[in-house]
Amino acid sequence: KKKLKISGRELLSVPMQVFGLDQLQVLEMSPERESCLRYRMELLPQEIGRLRNLTCLYVDSNNLKKIPAEIGTLSRLERLTLSNNSLSSLPAEMGALQRLRSLHLANNSLTELPAPLCQLRSLTFLDVSDNKIVTIPSSIRHLEKLETLLLLFNSLESLPEDVCLLRNLHTLWLGNNHLRSLPAAFGELVNLDWGYNYCSCNFEGNPLESPPPEVCSRGPERIRDYFSSLHRI
């Protein structure tokens, strides 16, 4: 078997036989998104590290409280979905997943974005919406291939200037945080689609003062002009 889906409302753990499937590439243990179900698995066993050929691991909508350090041995992993769980922290070993391109962490209880995750240079998609994240580490600048960053519904009070070095960003959602200001170089994110209705750059639900929302809505040039005018004063 190269692909395996395990389902069931009463799913509490991974059957141990699964860890003998050393050719397994895709393992899915999430309910269908439209079902609104939530499985009951609280622990991903450390034996997950045996599945060295995994490229995709889907464990959304369970009740996971901890991810084992052994996940860092899954060197071929490209897609990892952990949204809608009960995670308050992540193991530093996840920084070893150097082929990871897509990481879903929405709707957990994370209070920080661990610095090791910011070493994943192949990452193109990162969703940490609906957590309790207060700060973004400056090491985020290493995510040089990142195209989509979703940070909605967190507790961010500021963004590091290093976010402005993510020149490949096409989508950045910052809605519903506590941001009062943006970095002075924010207008350098010229690859963002500043199109209709903030579709790719969302600030709604923030008490923005510098620059004010009406400036942000007009795109990168107006943001650059705004900060330039401050320097001239």
Side-chain angles (χ1 to χ4, degrees):
K1 266 187 177 297
K2 292 190 176 181
K3 182 175 181 179
L4 177 64
K5 178 177 175 64
I6 302 174
S7 61
R9 187 187 298 265
E10 299 302 317
L11 181 64
L12 296 175
S13 61
V14 186
M16 294 306 290
Q17 302 96 302
V18 170
F19 302 120
L21 303 175
D22 56 6
Q23 296 304 307
L24 197 62
Q25 295 177 0
V26 179
L27 177 57
E28 182 173 354
M29 296 177 287
S30 303
E32 300 295 336
R33 290 186 179 183
E34 61 272 16
S35 72
C36 297
L37 287 177
R38 195 161 183 145
Y39 293 166
R40 297 168 58 193
M41 185 164 53
E42 295 187 2
L43 179 66
L44 197 59
Q46 63 185 28
E47 286 82 4
I48 194 74
R50 297 179 187 173
L51 302 178
R52 298 295 176 87
N53 286 301
L54 272 188
T55 59
C56 300
L57 177 58
Y58 302 94
V59 210
D60 299 287
S61 300
N62 277 274
N63 193 28
L64 292 176
K65 294 176 169 36
K66 185 178 180 182
I67 302 298
E70 285 75 10
I71 200 166
T73 65
L74 302 180
S75 59
R76 298 189 179 185
L77 203 62
E78 297 177 5
R79 183 176 177 88
L80 176 60
T81 67
L82 295 166
S83 297
N84 303 313
N85 279 288
S86 301
L87 298 170
S88 58
S89 64
L90 296 170
E93 287 79 3
M94 283 181 65
L97 301 177
Q98 289 301 317
R99 291 193 187 181
L100 198 64
R101 298 180 68 247
S102 180
L103 179 57
H104 298 240
L105 294 165
N107 195 23
N108 278 283
S109 299
L110 301 172
T111 56
E112 63 178 357
L113 188 60
L117 291 187
C118 297
Q119 307 296 327
L120 300 176
R121 296 177 183 271
S122 60
L123 207 61
T124 61
F125 181 98
L126 176 58
D127 182 2
V128 286
S129 302
D130 205 0
N131 278 280
K132 302 173 183 178
I133 295 173
V134 178
T135 59
I136 301 295
S138 61
S139 54
I140 196 169
R141 66 184 180 276
H142 296 304
L143 301 183
E144 50 200 36
K145 293 185 179 179
L146 197 64
E147 297 177 0
T148 299
L149 177 57
L150 308 183
L151 290 162
L152 300 89
F153 293 98
N154 276 289
S155 301
L156 292 172
E157 296 184 355
S158 65
L159 290 177
E161 287 276 350
D162 301 82
V163 168
C164 304
L165 298 175
L166 302 177
R167 300 298 169 82
N168 284 310
L169 272 185
H170 289 269
T171 302
L172 175 61
W173 288 359
L174 296 165
N176 294 90
N177 278 280
H178 306 311
L179 296 172
R180 293 190 176 276
S181 65
L182 298 177
F186 197 84
E188 300 302 322
L189 294 174
V190 294
N191 284 322
L192 289 176
D193 177 6
W194 297 83
Y196 178 73
N197 242 5
Y198 302 88
C199 63
S200 290
C201 191
N202 181 291
F203 306 101
E204 294 178 359
N206 286 284
L208 271 178
E209 298 173 357
S210 177
E214 60 269 20
V215 172
C216 292
S217 65
R218 294 175 184 174
E221 287 187 15
R222 290 301 182 92
I223 292 176
R224 290 199 297 270
D225 290 346
Y226 171 84
F227 284 114
S228 294
S229 68
L230 292 183
H231 292 149
R232 290 195 297 267
I233 295 175

